Amino acid sequence: MMDIQQFNRGLLSFIDASPTPFHAVSTMVATLTKAGFVRLREGDSWDLVAGERYYLCRNDSSIIAFVCGKQSILDHGVRMVGAHTDSPCLRVKPNPDMLEKGYLQLGVEIYGGALLNPWFDRDLSLAGRVSLTNDKGELISVMIDFENPIAVIPSLAIHLDREANTNRTVNKQTDMPPMLAIVDGDELNFNDIVIAQIERQHSDVSVSKILDWELSFYDTQPSAMTGLRQQFVSAARLDNLLSCYTGLQALLQADGEMTSILVCNDHEEVGSSSAAGAQGPMLKHLLQRMCQTTEDFARVIERSMMISADNAHAIHPNFIAKHDGNHGPQINQGPVIKINANQRYATNSETAALYRYLSDQVDVPVQSFVVRSDMGCGSTIGPITATELGVRTIDIGVPTFAMHSIRELAGSEDAFGLHKVCWQFYNTSDLPWC
C-alpha cells in the first residue's frame, strides 16, 4: 500500500488533470489501462473471466471499474464503492455570445448547487466535450481544455455596492457571465474560439461544423497542501473527485479474491436522474450480466454491500452553531459515517457497524454526522443506489469545508484513511450476511 505522502501527491495530480467529468473519466481510464484493466463496451457480448479486471464507460462521464473475483459471487456477493464525477460549476449555454460595451462575455448556466460568491475575481479556464463534423463528414466528439486563464468574473467595486459585505445577493442570469476579451471592431465569437482550440489541441482534426458542446469553467489555481503544518488539502472539486481517487486507489490494490466494483457516476449534483447517473441502470445492468438468472441476481444483492463515498460537512470554527453539538466532524479525525433518520443517507446500524469493524481492522478513526434537527439535509447516490438495487448501503464522507465552493478544503489525513478502509472492504472475504 502506498504511503500517505504518495497518496496525497496523486490526489492533487488527479484533481488538476480532471477539470470536468469527461476529463476525470479519461484520467481514470488511463490509470486503469496502465494497470491492466480491459475495456468492455455495453453493446458487445461479454465473456468475463475470474481474476481479470475490467472497466466500462457511459457518456464518457461515468465509469465502472471492477475486479472479477476468483470467489463465487453467489456465495460471497460483491463489494461496491460509489462516488460521483461531477461538481457544481458554470456551464456555457448553447448560444452564449454576449457583447456589452465592447466586452465579449459568455452566457452561463449554473450546474448544481454552486456557492457563487467565490467564483468572482478568479482566473478561469474552460474545458469539456465538443461534438462536431470533420472535413470527412464524420460525426465525432473531442475533449478540449484551454488550461490557461481565459476569463474572469469581476466583482462590482465596494464604492458602487455599499451593502456588498452585509446584504449581497447574486443574480445567476445577470451577474455571472464571464468576461473573455475586449472586442475592438473584430467579429470574435465563441464558435470560432472553440474551433481554434480544437485544431490547436487535436492536430489531426479539421473541423467542418461545431454541432454541440458541454463546456464548463473552472479555476486554474492548482491544488495544494496548505496550512502552517501542511494539514489541509486545498483544491477545486474535492466534492467528489476526492472519493473517486480514493476508491480507484483501493480497487487497484484489491487482491482479486472477491468481486470488487468502483462506480463513479455523473450528474449527482443535479439529482442523478440520467442514463449516466446513479438513478440510471448502468450499475444494475452490469450486475445482471454477472449473474445467470434473476434468482442469482437476488442472491448476489443479498450478500453484497455498497459504500457510498461523498464528502461530509466539517464543523467550521466560525459557525459552530450550524452543527448538532454532538455530531460536528473535525478535519483529520477520520472519515464520517453520515446518518439521517429520514433516509437522506442510506446508512443503517448494520452497515455502520460493519464500517466501524473494518476501520478497526486498519486502525482508522471514525466520526458520525447527523444534521441539526431544525435544518434540511442533503443527499447522495447512497439512497438512490439502495433503492434501485435493494443493496445494503452506507454513506461515508471525508470532512470538508466550503463544500460547493470553487475551492474546497479537506484534511491531509482523512482521504488516506478512507482509502485504507475501502481497501480492507474490497479484501474482506466474508460479510456478516454471507
Side-chain angles (χ1 to χ4, degrees):
M1 182 180 291
M2 67 176 72
D3 63 31
I4 189 169
Q5 288 80 18
Q6 183 182 4
F7 178 90
N8 282 329
R9 286 195 299 270
L11 172 62
L12 300 185
S13 295
F14 174 72
I15 291 173
D16 289 343
S18 307
T20 74
F22 305 111
H23 289 81
V25 167
S26 178
T27 304
M28 296 174 76
V29 164
T31 300
L32 291 164
T33 301
K34 185 177 181 180
F37 282 70
V38 176
R39 179 160 192 168
L40 299 173
R41 300 188 183 277
E42 293 184 271
D44 293 344
S45 178
W46 297 352
D47 184 16
L48 302 179
V49 178
E52 292 297 322
R53 299 181 289 177
Y54 304 95
Y55 72 92
L56 59 143
C57 303
R58 185 175 284 195
N59 189 49
D60 299 325
S61 62
S62 294
I63 186 169
I64 301 178
F66 65 98
V67 176
C68 198
K70 299 172 185 176
Q71 303 298 321
S72 168
I73 59 174
L74 292 176
D75 296 327
H76 298 279
V78 297
R79 286 105 183 90
M80 294 178 279
V81 174
H84 64 88
T85 59
D86 60 322
S87 303
C89 62
L90 309 185
R91 286 274 178 91
V92 179
K93 290 182 176 180
N95 301 309
D97 293 88
M98 302 170 62
L99 190 61
E100 293 290 344
K101 297 298 180 181
Y103 297 102
L104 176 63
Q105 296 176 275
L106 296 182
V108 292
E109 189 174 10
I110 312 302
Y111 178 90
L115 189 63
L116 293 178
N117 279 309
W119 280 82
F120 290 87
D121 309 315
R122 308 291 298 197
D123 293 333
L124 304 178
S125 193
L126 190 65
R129 183 175 67 179
V130 181
S131 296
L132 58 99
T133 52
N134 61 19
D135 58 351
K136 299 176 183 177
E138 299 168 326
L139 174 60
I140 62 172
S141 294
V142 297
M143 289 195 305
I144 61 172
D145 183 357
F146 285 81
E147 296 184 358
N148 295 319
I150 64 166
V152 66
I153 309 171
S155 292
L156 183 63
I158 187 70
H159 314 78
L160 305 177
D161 184 7
R162 294 293 184 179
E163 296 184 351
N165 291 330
T166 57
N167 191 33
R168 186 185 187 190
T169 59
V170 178
N171 186 295
K172 296 177 182 179
Q173 174 69 18
T174 61
D175 295 349
M176 297 306 296
M179 181 189 304
L180 272 70
I182 299 173
V183 181
D184 186 18
D186 54 14
E187 296 183 0
L188 186 65
N189 64 81
F190 187 62
N191 191 81
D192 290 344
I193 293 170
V194 171
I195 291 174
Q197 179 62 25
I198 292 171
E199 294 181 344
R200 276 193 299 268
Q201 198 167 342
H202 302 276
S203 58
D204 58 331
V205 175
S206 181
V207 180
S208 174
K209 183 179 181 181
I210 298 293
L211 300 175
D212 214 330
W213 54 60
E214 291 174 77
L215 297 171
S216 303
F217 283 101
Y218 69 93
D219 184 11
T220 59
Q221 183 178 355
S223 305
M225 306 301 298
T226 62
L228 184 64
R229 297 178 175 175
Q230 301 283 283
Q231 293 168 304
F232 305 111
V233 179
S234 177
R237 303 178 300 281
L238 288 176
D239 177 20
N240 191 25
L241 293 185
L242 179 150
S243 299
C244 293
Y245 176 80
T246 297
L248 176 63
Q249 294 305 314
L251 184 69
L252 291 172
Q253 298 167 40
D255 62 17
E257 290 297 316
M258 302 295 113
T259 295
S260 303
I261 296 175
L262 171 67
V263 53
C264 298
N265 290 113
D266 196 1
H267 301 141
E268 189 275 344
E269 297 293 359
V270 292
S272 295
S273 297
S274 72
Q279 198 165 350
M282 186 179 181
L283 178 58
K284 186 174 184 178
H285 284 173
L286 169 64
L287 294 171
Q288 288 172 333
R289 295 176 78 158
M290 287 181 169
C291 302
Q292 298 297 315
T293 66
T294 302
E295 180 178 339
D296 288 351
F297 177 77
R299 291 173 60 188
V300 168
I301 289 298
E302 175 58 23
R303 288 171 168 82
S304 301
M305 180 172 156
M306 161 71 82
I307 293 178
S308 167
D310 201 350
N311 299 26
H313 296 292
I315 185 167
H316 196 306
N318 297 346
F319 301 94
I320 293 174
K322 293 294 184 179
H323 286 262
D324 181 281
N326 292 332
H327 301 92
Q330 297 186 48
I331 296 285
N332 285 334
Q333 296 298 311
V336 180
I337 298 175
K338 299 158 73 172
I339 301 162
N340 183 260
N342 296 300
Q343 295 300 297
R344 299 295 290 170
Y345 303 130
T347 306
N348 61 31
S349 59
E350 187 177 46
T351 56
L354 177 63
Y355 184 85
R356 293 181 189 278
Y357 173 81
L358 294 171
S359 296
D360 287 344
Q361 304 306 302
V362 290
D363 195 28
V364 173
V366 183
Q367 305 183 79
S368 297
F369 172 76
V370 180
V371 73
R372 282 178 56 111
S373 298
D374 55 358
M375 293 178 65
C377 182
S379 193
T380 70
I381 66 167
I384 294 171
T385 303
T387 300
E388 293 295 319
L389 296 180
V391 67
R392 290 176 175 86
T393 304
I394 184 169
D395 273 296
I396 297 293
V398 165
T400 306
F401 291 132
M403 198 180 296
H404 288 198
S405 174
I406 194 171
R407 195 164 180 90
E408 300 164 323
L409 195 71
S412 59
E413 301 177 20
D414 295 322
F416 186 67
L418 179 59
H419 159 258
K420 291 171 66 176
V421 179
C422 289
W423 173 85
Q424 183 70 17
F425 174 59
Y426 280 145
N427 295 328
T428 296
S429 59
D430 283 311
L431 302 177
W433 39 85
C434 290

